[in-house]
């Protein structure tokens, strides 16, 4: 193996591996180093997203939703089935097999693009030097003209809630349970906590979610958050807001969790407790002494808008730098950097990053919430459309939620689009494209949407902004 490259990427997650592929497409000699190890000791590219995040969680969300729909909804469609029972082992096998296929796919992509994939540890020793440690401990000194750091993030652990990986667990453990916990506690009503809580609730757990803040989903448009809370309650998630967990211990296989609320100290007994309070940038053993790469006070690698670190020719992308911890945000940063290194144009539009919560109904948004626009002082108008009035949603037995458009009064600019409803994560792509192309609300109003489709809800919400909705009541 050569030890000289144009670009070395440290980290093969959704920020690092696309950077490596794009750099290779730009005719640069590239190596991508990744140290990910699964619980069984196997190694895989793909990082958190493919191995322990986006993909396995979506596999279980899909399976558990189907399980619930088969039990509760098929009869409404006039479909009679026998008793619907759960084969969790088969469900988990499917999840594992999807992960394996997807992570294996990265190796195939590396091969076809000519990226050298190195499984092991990478340490930046100087601006253009990386020490690679292979799984057998062999070290090699590699050089590159440019280095891209994409080491990702790790779950935040709470000192007062000691992780043991069996009873007190993180999100990765919670994706690999081999039995449905009768009582599940989740600390944190964020995206990950709500998705995992939904999975296990649908499969039969009694789920209690403890959230320290008083406001539910503060980053979400509050009309959407209110609607979401209603659906989560209906699902049976017991979400306690203003519940500050002060400690937990395991006794005889049972987790005793203590939390405080305005009413005083409370206790919760569960079989498993998932800590889902957020993720922190991961830079352990990434930077040797004296590299000059600066971290910010929260531990993120400091970068400018183009992901340049404090050291020339060292770049950083993905969860390890500022901005939302989302796979697609990291991917775009990786691609941008690989293009900039090759002397091409590269840019990430941080104002137009879609967010999705894959619960049922799904929640998705792009741009500003109504609350944010209000706080900015800009005059705005709002239109919304309920899926209850959508023929397609009715046909799908999924007529829940709404689409909402927030627009500027002065120039009709679309400021934010928010959806809670069936396939919201797919619907938001149209909103992203509209905002990326600086479409006005009128542009969206004049765009033909196929009938009957769920996308008509966004069309009608755009019309409702000017009180011109056809299939909904204009308020
Ligand atoms: C349960 C869960 C569900 C999620 N669902 C979604 C979702 O639906 N959509 C979404 O957009 N995001 C989701 N996320 C977030 C998403 O997984 C992350 O934003 C994304 O993985 C970040 O990509 P990254 O490449 O920056 O880091 P990572 O994916 O964490 O990859 C970093 C890689 O670098 C490796 N590494 C670190 N240091 C070194 C080193 N020194 N040497 C070699 N290798 C190293 C790590 O082992 C890892 O493989 C989810 C996260 C979780 C936990």
């Amino acid at each position: 193996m050569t030890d000289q490259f144009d670009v070395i990427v440290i980290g093969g997650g959704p920020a690092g591996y696309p950077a490596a592929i794009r750099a290779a497409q730009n005719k640069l000699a590239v190596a991508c180093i990744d140290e990910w190890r699964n619980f069984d000791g196997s190694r895989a590219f793909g990082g958190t997203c493919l191995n322990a995040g986006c993909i396995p969680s979506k596999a279980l969300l899909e399976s558990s939703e189907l399980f619930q729909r088969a039990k509760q909804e098929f009869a409404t469609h006039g479909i009679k089935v026998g008793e619907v029972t759960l084969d969790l082992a088969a469900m988990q096998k499917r999840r594992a097999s999807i992960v394996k296929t997807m992570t294996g796919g990265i190796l195939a992509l590396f091969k076809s693009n000519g990226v050298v994939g190195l499984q092991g540890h990478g340490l930046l020793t100087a601006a253009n030097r990386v020490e690679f440690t292979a799984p057998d401990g062999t070290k090699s000194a590699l050089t590159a003209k440019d280095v891209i750091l994409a080491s990702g993030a790790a779950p935040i652990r709470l000192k007062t809630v000691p992780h043991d990986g069996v009873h007190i667990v993180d999100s990765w453990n919670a994706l690999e349970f081999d039995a449905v916990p009768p009582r599940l506690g989740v600390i944190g009503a964020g995206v990950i906590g709500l998705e995992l809580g939904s999975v296990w609730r649908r499969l039969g757990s009694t789920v209690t979610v403890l959230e320290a803040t008083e406001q539910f989903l503060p980053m979400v448009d509050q009309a959407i958050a209110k609607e979401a809370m209603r659906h989560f309650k209906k699902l049976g998630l017991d979400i306690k807001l203003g519940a500050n967990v002060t400690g937990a211990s395991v006794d005889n296989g049972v987790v005793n969790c203590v939390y405080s609320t305005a009413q005083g100290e409370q206790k919760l007994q569960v079989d498993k407790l998932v800590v889902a309070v957020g993720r922190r940038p991961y830079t352990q053993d990434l930077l040797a002494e004296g590299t000059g790469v600066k971290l910010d006070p929260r531990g993120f690698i400091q970068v400018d808008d183009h992901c340049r670190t404090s050291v020339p020719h060292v770049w950083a992308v993905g969860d390890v730098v500022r901005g939302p911890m989302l796979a697609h945000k990291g991917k775009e940063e990786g691609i941008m950097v690989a293009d900039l290194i090759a002397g091409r144009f590269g840019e990430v539009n941080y104002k137009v990053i879609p967010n999705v919560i894959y619960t049922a109904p799904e929640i998705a948004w792009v741009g500003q919430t109504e609350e944010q626009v209000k706080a900015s002082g800009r005059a705005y108008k709002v239109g919304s459309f309920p899926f209850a009035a959508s023929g397609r949603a009715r046909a799908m037995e999924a007529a829940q939620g709404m689409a909402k458009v927030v627009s500027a009064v002065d120039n009709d600019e679309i400021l934010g689009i928010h959806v809670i409803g069936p396939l919201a994560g797919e619907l938001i792509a149209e909103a992203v494209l509209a905002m990326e192309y600086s479409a006005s609300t009128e542009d969206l109003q004049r765009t033909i949407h196929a009938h009957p489709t769920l996308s008509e809800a966004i069309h009608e919400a755009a019309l409702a902004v000017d009180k011109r909705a056809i299939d909904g009541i204009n308020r």
Side-chain angles (χ1 to χ4, degrees), residues 364-414:
W365 71 98
V366 59
Q368 300 174 70
T369 62
E370 184 176 346
E371 293 74 29
Q372 286 169 331
V373 178
K374 194 183 249 174
S376 75
R378 192 164 178 191
Y380 68 93
K381 42 189 183 169
V382 175
S384 62
F385 182 80
F387 282 102
S390 155
R392 185 66 193 273
R394 288 265 168 211
M396 291 168 69
E397 199 58 31
Q400 308 155 339
M402 63 169 144
K404 174 173 172 181
V405 176
V406 186
S407 304
V409 167
D410 51 8
N411 62 358
D412 204 32
E413 181 187 354
I414 300 169

Side-chain angles (χ1 to χ4, degrees), residues 11 13-15 34-35 47-49 53-54 58 121-122 151-152 319 325-328:
D34 190 275
E35 66 180 0
T48 307
C49 176
C54 326
K58 266 78 254 178
H121 184 77
S151 53
D319 279 9
M325 288 188 172
L326 293 169
H328 43 281

Side-chain angles (χ1 to χ4, degrees), residues 6-12 15-24 26 28 30-33 122 124 127-128 130 144-152 286-287 301 303 306-309 313-318 320-321 330-331 333-342:
D6 294 319
V7 178
I8 294 177
V9 184
I10 304 183
Y17 87 77
I21 290 174
R22 174 53 60 87
N26 285 336
L28 299 170
V30 187
C32 181
I33 302 175
L124 185 79
N128 62 346
V130 172
K145 292 178 192 137
D146 287 88
V147 177
I148 304 174
L149 307 171
S151 53
L286 177 70
L287 307 167
I301 296 176
V303 287
H306 290 98
C307 293
R308 291 183 183 91
T309 69
H313 297 285
V314 179
W315 312 71
V317 294
V320 77
V321 304
K331 179 179 184 181
E333 288 180 335
I335 291 170
M336 166 181 75
V337 166
D339 281 340
L340 290 173
I341 289 172

Side-chain angles (χ1 to χ4, degrees), residues 344-358:
R344 289 170 173 253
F345 175 80
E347 188 80 52
V348 171
N349 183 356
Y350 288 98
K351 284 191 182 152
V352 186
I353 298 176
N355 286 268
V356 184
I357 309 178
Y358 295 83

